[in-house]
Amino acid sequence: MADQLSKWRRKLHSIPELSFQEVETSKFIASILEKIPGMQVEVGVGYPTAVVGTLSSGSGPTIAVRADMDALPIQEETNHDFKSRNEGVMHACGHDAHMAIGLGVASLLGESFQKGEAEGTVKFLFQPAEEMADVHGSTGAPYMIKAGALDNVDHVISLHMSPENQLGEVKVHDGYSMANVDVFDAVVFGTGGHGAYPHLGTDPVWMLGPVLQAMHGIVSRRISPLDSAVISVGSIQSGAAGNVIPSEVHIKGTIRSYDPDVRELLHAELEKSLSLVRVFDGDYKLTITPEDPSLKNHPAVNQLFREVIRDIYPEFKVFDTPFGLGGEDFAHMTQVVPGAMFFLGCAVGDGKTRELHTPSFDINERVLPAGVSIMGETVKRFLDKEM
């Protein structure tokens, strides 16, 4: 299927769409699924662009295979003839590959079900909006879950491209493997005033100094070195004129962690850091918005991944290491049913760095049939074993 997988991936790569805007992508996915004998296709499961394909023999266990569909607001800087046709939008996180692999697994399993070689149910969840939350603070996975996409599902699996690893390298990790993602929005209040007479008012810009120092000391001085955590400030905005002391300073940032207890501690310490402004006669407002929980991979599902990789790709190297402090909204699904995600090495192999979320991101397309083989065989063994 290598040629077909490449064609699907390149088509999807050329029509990237932002979170919650995957209209053409959704139509293309549905059109391929509808050609698979026995496949039931639903569009709009939880969100208008979500697509669910279902293969079923009417009895047996149920497993779901999830692939994310959205792209990023990045201007592509590759020379491919299939590069993005949408200005300022790019598949820079491998979701085009995830979808192509999902379609490949659906095609192969469709043949197995038609031949009577599989018993049970497989649901293919093509999910919108993994990258960004909407105005309600929700990404795509929670919408699909609320709509029943995981009802009666026993396990859910997924994979992710890993440009840090070469083809033939896989990351499989039990337990917490990607971060809780929270965003914070804070405002420091002073009175403001004339720049020539700072003593007559209170200056929130001045107050910000000790606040930032305290924020950046939280992880190094309040969190155990054995725990993973990050607090980063990404935006500071205040004032409009050089001779006017502003009355407010707006701060935005992100909070990342693995362990739920560490997450709570980070929130509490961030509050303490901002409360320093009251010593200087200022005040503050802090809003913390949770986005994604930490991805918790189920050991039994991972064990099946490891067995499949060992049996069909014995030359592959499997690394038992967390995936980093990036967020992944697949974590919402693994909170509902046991599941796991693995990272599959996709580096082009020419020595150039092509990281996720960068304009030069690219993959070695030989990863596509490898992904289909591992995911497809995992599903088949799940149906046989009834874990």
Side-chain angles (χ1 to χ4, degrees), residues 57-77:
S57 67
S59 62
T62 300
I63 186 169
V65 177
R66 176 270 205 172
D68 37 13
M69 302 194 299
D70 55 331
L72 288 156
I74 293 175
Q75 181 63 40
E76 184 167 356
E77 295 179 1

Side-chain angles (χ1 to χ4, degrees), residues 2 85 88 92 108 119 156 177 184 188 209 248 250 258 286 311 357 370:
R85 299 202 301 259
L108 290 182
E119 291 187 5
V156 60
S177 303
F184 69 88
V188 175
E248 299 179 358
H250 294 257
Y258 278 170
L286 172 64
D311 291 346
H357 291 217

Side-chain angles (χ1 to χ4, degrees), residues 163-242:
E164 297 177 2
N165 296 96
Q166 299 298 318
L167 183 69
E169 297 179 341
V170 191
K171 291 180 181 177
V172 182
H173 184 70
D174 296 345
Y176 294 119
S177 303
M178 295 189 76
N180 297 299
V181 178
D182 303 309
V183 295
F184 69 88
D185 195 333
V187 185
V188 175
F189 300 102
T191 62
H194 196 299
Y197 309 101
H199 58 291
L200 299 179
T202 55
D203 184 353
V205 177
W206 170 60
M207 299 175 200
L208 187 62
V211 168
L212 289 176
Q213 185 176 13
M215 279 186 187
H216 288 128
I218 291 172
V219 172
S220 64
R221 289 296 176 265
R222 301 298 293 165
I223 304 298
S224 167
L226 301 178
D227 291 317
S228 298
V230 164
I231 293 181
S232 292
V233 175
S235 173
I236 299 175
Q237 296 181 342
S238 183

